[in-house]
Amino acid sequence: MKVLETLQATQKSFHIPATVFQIRYAGAKGMISLDSRLDGHVLRLRPSMIKFRGTEDPKIEICGIAAKMLPLVLNRQLIKILEDLGVPDEAFKDLQNYAIDELRTGVSSINNAAAFLEQNNVGMTTHTTWLLRKMQSLGLELSDDKFFRDVLDAVVLIQLQGLKYKTRIPVKEGATLYGIMDETGTLAEGEVYCAWIDKEGRPGQACGDVVVARSPALHPGDIQIAKAVTVPRDSPLRQLHNCIAFSSQGERDLPSRLAGGDLDGDHYHIVWDQSLIPKACVEPASYPRLPPLDVGRAITRQDMSDFFIEFMEQDQLGIVAKQHMVLADQHEQGTLHPDCRTLAEMHSTAVDYSKTGIPVSRLTLGYTSHLQLTIHTIKVNEDDFPLNCRNCRFRPDFMAPGRKVKVEKYGISFEGEQIDLVEPDDPRRVGEPRPHRYYESKKILGILYRSIDERAFFKDLHERSPILKDDARPSKGVLVSLWEYLQAETTELEWEHYVDYAWGMRESYEASVYEIILQYSTNNAEVLEEIEVFIGNIICRNGYRSKRQKEYISSMKEKYDREALMLIAAMRENDETAGEEELKALRRSMACLYVGIQEPRERERRTEGSRRDTFAWIAAAAAMRELESYQEDRDLGPLKMMQGMALRA
């Protein structure tokens, strides 16, 4: 208990103290959880957690915290396996339709829009969602502001692209949680204990049959059914939350059946939505453990350099996964087909390549008893396709690139058709690799893909949503109205002497944003817009993000959040004179808002046509927060004076 209290003291930012942690300690790594049976400063490690004998340093490195229940989002691999296990198409259609309805609901009102942005972690650092609610309480018409509408459009588009091009479907009756071992021996074989505390602080627990899986999942046995049970009130498991506890009994543990999972920090998907639970599952994969390559001597730096280069050349993980997706769609048996099972084993080997040193290309009869194919020897059954499509590279339509998306100062627009087909003998392609050809998939992934049309969706959304109407007045109208309100509330306050300082802050901030834009734009043809930096995400220009863009997103958001926090801190910098802190911060933030709603000065027009609204919105939030403190002090001033007189009497 003492160790837990020490760890919980480090997580002050979380409302609910965690009871499960992923740690590194000396040479050990894995999950630890609260055990109320232990007294004092006790940390028990399983032998499997100790990877090597390390330092005697008593410090515990926290790698992960089960502070909240993570949402469950289905992906293509999980959906395909569930389909092959007999889950009806209607279950997936209903979930996708619900997700689309949630997008519409998110832009149906200002309160919903603020909650929608918070759900997608947009505007939290800059207090934008707080500002939206404050503006609504003042009766300001937010639909008049184009920047606000474009932010909503961008976030909706990113979510819609995830639904269409990645088939990322959220499941309300499901969760993604850390997996731990039942150290009490309470759970029988095939049982799990799954408990959580939701974002409102309400406890929850799964009961009955549940689907348990882990990503990535390619083998049909990577999804299993377990029985979620309650445990006695005096069981130590009752004190755990935001985790799934697996039984320690039986011939083979359940985590290892789920794509070779372990309990060193893996997350597991749990579904208690009865429409997604198959009637039966198949036997999990049991791949032979491949011994790591032994060079017969001590490893040198040259060996490490050579392996790094070899890894970059031989890594086939993405190729195997794509080929598996193609064949699973083409074969009637789907993931149950032998070719797909072969690729699933290849994928497992490719995942462990960095640990074993054995790439997929070295899979021969000497390494496994039955696998003699490489990815290049598995061919498409051309008899399933029309004669005029033979000798082409076939892929299902849900793997095709999407419409071109343009993000400009005038908003988001779509160009082209759903699929751009180029005939194999097109003279433009002479000397180039033959392009992929796409066919209409009859499986559930194809059905879900074709049911979403971005252009039609946004047209309908703008016609129905009261806050996305296209006949709105020019941008910044709402900020001008807010500025007039601030002036009326602070008639006695002087702020004009901070204007030059505010211009300097704006120019410095916009230079930093421009630097972020240049740093994280992957090419000159797809330069990021300021709105993407602000929301901390990159809009896919053709439906799919490149690997580089995926890597950029978290880094870009982190860098922009630092810049935004520095700007807010500069606006609210305290005065050295006691009693003047709020007034100085209010005057400075008001000057920043005034500067923000002006056109940029000539020397600051670096990028023609670039949108520059984020400074004004950040300044507006800072000014309104300072004004709120100022109003509270002003209204409470007489009351405090009377209370002081009463105490003296």
Side-chain angles (χ1 to χ4, degrees), residues 343-379:
L343 285 169
E345 182 168 356
M346 286 181 169
H347 189 272
S348 175
T349 301
V351 168
D352 293 334
Y353 176 26
S354 60
K355 300 177 182 178
T356 63
I358 303 173
V360 171
S361 57
R362 292 184 183 176
L363 282 175
T364 63
L365 190 61
Y367 281 106
T368 60
S369 59
H370 68 280
L371 189 58
Q372 302 182 54
L373 299 174
T374 67
I375 189 169
H376 306 292
T377 65
I378 299 177
K379 299 183 180 296

Side-chain angles (χ1 to χ4, degrees), residues 434-559:
R434 184 173 294 169
H436 292 296
R437 296 295 302 277
Y438 300 97
Y439 61 89
E440 185 177 300
S441 169
K442 305 299 182 184
K443 303 290 183 65
I444 185 59
L445 292 177
I447 295 171
L448 295 173
Y449 169 81
R450 291 187 296 275
S451 67
I452 297 178
D453 184 318
E454 310 104 294
R455 182 181 293 165
F457 174 85
F458 269 88
K459 181 181 178 181
D460 177 72
L461 191 68
H462 280 241
E463 290 175 352
R464 294 188 180 189
S465 173
I467 59 176
L468 292 180
K469 53 187 178 182
D470 291 324
D471 59 346
R473 286 172 282 177
S475 176
K476 292 188 178 178
V478 70
L479 293 186
V480 171
S481 299
L482 187 68
W483 169 246
E484 294 170 352
Y485 169 78
L486 275 162
Q487 284 185 303
E489 288 292 307
T490 57
T491 53
E492 74 286 358
L493 201 65
E494 296 180 358
W495 52 268
E496 291 83 355
H497 54 290
Y498 282 110
V499 169
D500 288 339
Y501 179 82
W503 272 113
M505 292 175 65
R506 173 176 174 174
E507 291 163 4
S508 175
Y509 166 80
E510 290 182 349
S512 298
V513 171
Y514 185 63
E515 180 185 338
I516 294 174
I517 288 174
L518 294 181
Q519 179 180 353
Y520 293 99
S521 296
T522 53
N523 57 68
N524 293 332
E526 297 182 357
V527 178
L528 296 181
E529 289 292 327
E530 184 178 355
I531 195 171
E532 294 174 274
V533 177
F534 180 76
I535 67 175
N537 215 322
I538 298 175
I539 296 174
C540 310
R541 269 38 177 199
N542 65 345
Y544 290 95
R545 286 195 186 95
S546 65
K547 183 178 180 181
R548 182 179 296 180
Q549 286 176 326
K550 293 177 183 177
E551 296 170 349
Y552 277 177
I553 288 175
S554 61
S555 174
M556 180 185 75
K557 180 172 177 57
E558 182 179 341
K559 185 170 185 178

Side-chain angles (χ1 to χ4, degrees), residues 194-349:
C194 179
W196 62 85
I197 296 178
D198 64 19
K199 57 185 178 181
E200 281 79 29
R202 296 171 301 196
Q205 181 181 331
C207 295
D209 288 343
V210 295
V211 166
V212 186
R214 174 180 166 272
S215 292
L218 277 75
H219 190 279
D222 289 342
I223 290 180
Q224 295 292 316
I225 299 175
K227 185 177 182 181
V229 298
T230 58
V231 294
R233 291 186 177 275
D234 59 348
S235 171
L237 295 178
R238 275 295 186 103
Q239 300 189 34
L240 305 181
H241 51 259
N242 299 330
C243 65
I244 176 172
F246 293 97
S247 171
S248 59
Q249 304 180 36
E251 295 183 2
R252 182 182 178 185
D253 61 285
L254 181 56
S256 70
R257 302 184 184 192
L258 308 173
D262 57 39
L263 299 178
D264 280 349
D266 285 355
H267 282 95
Y268 292 87
H269 309 304
I270 304 95
V271 184
W272 54 92
D273 185 334
Q274 296 303 302
S275 67
L276 293 177
I277 298 180
K279 295 181 179 179
C281 292
V282 301
E283 281 297 314
S286 181
Y287 304 135
R289 185 177 295 275
L290 302 180
L293 292 178
D294 186 359
V295 298
R297 54 177 172 78
I299 300 297
T300 65
R301 290 187 176 181
Q302 186 62 44
D303 291 327
M304 290 187 281
S305 300
D306 292 342
F307 177 72
F308 177 79
I309 296 173
E310 181 184 354
F311 180 84
M312 299 297 290
E313 293 175 344
Q314 298 291 332
D315 184 23
Q316 304 286 340
L317 186 62
I319 297 175
V320 174
K322 286 184 178 179
Q323 188 71 3
H324 180 276
M325 189 177 297
V326 172
L327 293 187
D329 185 79
Q330 292 171 357
H331 289 307
E332 186 64 30
Q333 293 175 266
T335 55
L336 299 169
H337 192 277
D339 285 350
C340 291
R341 292 178 183 246
T342 297
L343 285 169
E345 182 168 356
M346 286 181 169
H347 189 272
S348 175
T349 301

Side-chain angles (χ1 to χ4, degrees), residues 423 425-430:
E423 295 297 331
D425 58 352
D426 192 318
R428 295 174 296 171
R429 297 285 186 168
V430 173

Side-chain angles (χ1 to χ4, degrees), residues 72-85 87 92 166-169 171 176 211-220 222-224 259 268-271 276 324-325 335 444-445:
L72 169 63
V73 181
L74 295 180
N75 56 39
R76 286 178 173 173
Q77 295 170 345
L78 295 173
I79 291 172
K80 189 71 193 79
I81 294 176
L82 288 172
E83 177 193 30
D84 296 335
L85 294 178
V87 174
F92 304 108
K166 291 295 184 180
T167 326
R168 290 180 53 80
I169 303 178
V171 179
T176 301
V211 166
V212 186
R214 174 180 166 272
S215 292
L218 277 75
H219 190 279
D222 289 342
I223 290 180
Q224 295 292 316
Y268 292 87
H269 309 304
I270 304 95
V271 184
L276 293 177
H324 180 276
M325 189 177 297
T335 55
I444 185 59
L445 292 177

